[in-house]
Amino acid sequence: MSEWKEICRVDDIPVLGARRVARTKGPEVALFRNAEGEVFALLDRCPHKGGPLSQGIVFGRSVACPLHNWTIGLCDGVAAAPDHGCTPRFAVKVENGTVSLDVAELNSIALT
């Protein structure tokens, strides 16, 4: 059974935008919200040159990196062809309008 940490309200994440989540260790996590109201979480680092994905443009279930326009899938963190690479994703739970992240993942994924 997972332990979940409440992060924010869904409404705190801009539609077609992102919100950054600081962690005790490791780089920040970016929460994204698309036009359909779905919420996704990825490490806030593009697999190409480490650009801040939270500053990218959200469209559909993807985000465009602001540095070199790589398209990264919000569901899986995978770069769209012809580019290649992956950024870690985090499990998200939305319940009664509150967004939560898995504590174990926050404390173990991509800490460097």
Side-chain angles (χ1 to χ4, degrees):
M1 174 140 294
S2 296
E3 179 184 350
W4 296 91
K5 178 180 181 179
E6 290 185 1
I7 303 298
C8 65
R9 303 283 301 157
V10 171
D11 292 340
D12 294 333
I13 307 167
V15 175
L16 299 179
R19 175 185 174 126
R20 296 170 71 173
V21 178
R23 301 191 290 168
T24 306
K25 292 183 180 178
E28 293 181 325
V29 173
L31 293 176
F32 300 92
R33 183 175 168 202
N34 68 8
E36 289 74 33
E38 296 174 296
V39 178
F40 307 89
L42 298 175
L43 189 70
D44 193 20
R45 186 186 301 163
C46 179
H48 176 228
K49 297 279 186 179
L53 294 175
S54 62
Q55 295 178 23
I57 297 171
V58 174
F59 58 100
R61 290 186 167 176
S62 300
V63 61
C65 178
L67 295 185
H68 300 101
N69 209 34
W70 277 36
T71 297
I72 309 298
L74 293 172
C75 296
D76 56 11
V78 175
D83 301 318
H84 55 87
C86 183
T87 193
R89 64 171 289 281
F90 294 79
V92 176
K93 180 171 81 168
V94 178
E95 207 168 65
N96 298 319
T98 299
V99 178
S100 300
L101 296 176
D102 184 293
V103 172
E105 289 183 358
L106 287 172
N107 293 331
S108 64
I109 294 176
L111 296 180
T112 58

